[in-house]
Amino acid sequence: MLFLHDLRIAIRSLTRVKALWITVALTLALGIGANAAIFSVVRAVLLRPLANRDESHLLYIRQSAPGIAVQNATFSVPEIKDMGESLKTVSKLGTFSSISFTVVGLGTPREIPAGVVDGNYFDVMGLSPVLGRLLGPSDDGQNAPGAIVLTYHFWRDSLHSDPNVLGKVVRLESYAGARSATVVGVLEPSVPYPVATEIIANVVTSPHHLSATMVTGREHRMTEVFGRLAPGATIDSARAELSAVYGAMAKAHPEVYKPEDHYQISVTRMHDQINARANAILWILFAASGLLFVIASSNVANLVLARTVRRASELAVRSALGASTATLRRALLAESLVLCVSGAIAAIALAIPMVKVLGKYASRYSVRASELTLDFSLVWFGIALAIAAAFFLAYIPRLPKPDSPQGGLTGRGTRVAGGSTRRLRVFAVTQIAASFLLLAGACVLMKTLFVLENTRPPFSSDKVLAVNLPVMSYGKTPEQIREFYHEIERRVSTLPGVEQVSSGFSVPWRDEQGLNISFTFAAPGARRADGQDFRAKFRSVSPGFFNTFGMPLIGGRDFNDGDKDGHERVVIISQSLANLLYPGQNALNRTIRWTDGVMKFIGISTESRRIIAVVPDLDDENILPSPAMTIYQPIDQEWTGGRLFVRSKQDAYQLVPSITQIVHQISGDQPVEKASTLGDIRAEVMAPARLNAIVFGGFAAVALLISIVGVAGVLAFSVSGRTREFGIRMALGAQRSNILTNVLVEGAIMACIGVGAGVLIGFVAARSIDKYVTELQQPGILAFVASALVILIAAVLASAAPAARAARINAVEALRTE
């Protein structure tokens, strides 16, 4: 009952200082709310168990070749057979190949991301159906009927959870041909990996997967491999066994696994692999929110401690009238609890919308972050933090001794503020150190964003429209497919405002799959100093492609209508590749020839090709361009397009309805998808970097603002406690400018100490984190210097108001106050 009485008095007392109450509540709300929201995301994305059965036994197996800069080489069918035949620590392997199907028969025909799996896949992954059945061993083999399983999200969102979807027969169009398949089930909600798929089909639905080249080609790698630990086996024993099996396989085929390519195999738990991309960014974000909580708590401690010191006379009077130390502590605790619980309630209100924002942010790094809500089990965590902060704030101030209340009774309470002032300065320095760390990290991200924003492609991306027109081969010959695209180009080119139309098989920055693969080739007369093979990426484009992109040829001629199948094979190469092959010489009319063993599997001829032109580098994978080693081939000689490019004089999006109408006039079921300018595609690719800068910059800005308030508060308190000192100094002849400089220097010294502590903590933390997060970008000297300058300038500005107040002190009035 006594404590309830103290709470009522605390509320009544705080209503007289509403500004303090609101400031403390909002500051704590920022600190606690940010932590609750971010931990909700971290828990959902990184810590929540997968839906997969016995997920700790589920493995992801990856092959890489650092020597040729291939991080994930996937696997070929012969490689998978060699591994699966002799494994003891892995009970079963399941395979998954990423593919795009154009689906006809489930609403409007459209191209969707899909997967082709073997009959062991779902059993290995430990997943179950919510409707119908999943694929099994009976669905393997060339004579098996086509069958597909719908993912839960596709079934729910696109088909509105239609229970009658089972048994529907659909047509699946892919680059290798068309097949029919029956819907046999719907998969339970689960994390889609390695890509976000909408349907999962058996192997027979992809003609390419049944081809002899796919089945026998050891170098034809396009399959991900998953495994399940055998009973009693450990991941370390699985790694050892797979390394031994892989080593024997590489030794048996030295022509494929060249020593200089450094082929190797790795095994990770599926849970860790899924979280790999989001792991570093979310834990760093969590650390940033922790720093913000430290800053917020320090600032609240400053405010409450300063208020307690100003109440020294009141506390001394209560002590003189018989109040015990426990009674005074209880009164301070009641007031602290009111302040901190108010902050906790505000924190929950702030965390709910913050989780949605952070969930959208995190979804760019992990599919597990979609549709997140606040984890309300963390409400107790927030309340616990608030109660802990309340006890901390209640027990920091020194209380007057019961037997020595004179200081408060004589009105000299301000003189006992020396120890409290030191505590205030410690809290302010803590805020500055934490703010410095956040600011340095934000500077790195801002610099990265600045470089990205100011790096421009070698063409006007805002005027070039890219439209996906996936290949539809059902009932068509290759010649008819080519003529289909030619007819679209001819008709679209007649639209008002259209400058140029062309086609290709990939859209820059958007079509990631297949863009980053380099193939070996030979160039007569060219030699590398290191003796390694020449490697380049190939792109198939139509005549006018470079003109559409606004890229003039450096020399030679463009492709024309005569460059088709059955005629002389010709290519155009990038400038960097020409310089590598023939430095200081003319590359025109030289010949090259593909030598990579993969080419025969994907329908690319190994005949000699004449170089007819050289073009500027176009790095269509990276926003920050690197030298492009690219060979362009005419699309009418090899590979069909599927991507339309239109250069417009006006707003390119105004052309989309007319283009769609033209395409559907030629073919009613042809999908017309993802119409977007290359500028918007580029902006979308840059979105994660921009979001990183905004999120961390926001944290840093809030932290800096709180720190400025903290420094100003400490100095204001210091000035109020040193009124007599300043009065005496001015009476003895000190100039106002000296007083002003003294207070400014005091603020600058606190800032310097805080920055120094921040540098030391940051250096130690970076060295520790670098052992576990190798891809973390370390702040450079420029980030440190810029952050330190911002902190120092902010501290001086924060000191200006208290310093001006100190300089205006009237010496006579200051002496009279005593």
Side-chain angles (χ1 to χ4, degrees), residues 254-298:
E255 74 286 357
V256 175
Y257 311 96
K258 298 177 182 178
E260 61 270 22
D261 295 343
H262 303 295
Y263 273 92
Q264 57 193 34
I265 195 168
S266 62
V267 182
T268 56
R269 295 191 190 278
M270 183 66 179
H271 190 281
D272 297 336
Q273 179 65 25
I274 287 175
N275 293 334
R277 190 162 174 257
N279 194 55
I281 194 71
L282 287 184
W283 282 121
I284 292 171
L285 192 62
F286 193 52
S289 69
L291 287 174
L292 187 61
F293 178 70
V294 169
I295 294 167
S297 299
S298 298

Side-chain angles (χ1 to χ4, degrees), residues 36 71 179 217 300 320 353 466 598 791:
Q71 297 301 315
R179 289 287 189 276
V300 169
V598 174
I791 293 286

Side-chain angles (χ1 to χ4, degrees), residues 721-754:
R722 296 170 65 189
T723 301
R724 177 177 171 81
E725 173 199 334
F726 290 142
I728 293 173
R729 290 175 60 183
M730 295 179 72
L732 293 175
Q735 299 297 314
R736 295 185 185 276
S737 59
N738 294 337
I739 303 297
L740 183 71
T741 302
N742 180 273
V743 178
L744 291 175
V745 168
E746 189 177 345
I749 289 173
M750 280 194 296
C752 288
I753 295 173

Side-chain angles (χ1 to χ4, degrees), residues 440-454 624 693 777-783:
C443 281
V444 174
L445 297 170
M446 292 291 186
K447 179 185 175 184
T448 301
L449 181 61
F450 177 80
V451 173
L452 289 173
E453 293 283 7
N454 287 276
L624 291 177
Q777 187 178 3
Q778 302 291 350
I781 188 66
L782 183 62

Side-chain angles (χ1 to χ4, degrees), residues 72 139 209 237 239 249 389 401-403 608 641 698 734 753:
N72 189 352
D139 297 296
H209 281 72
S237 62
R239 285 182 180 132
M249 183 176 69
K401 296 179 181 179
D403 58 348
S608 292
I753 295 173

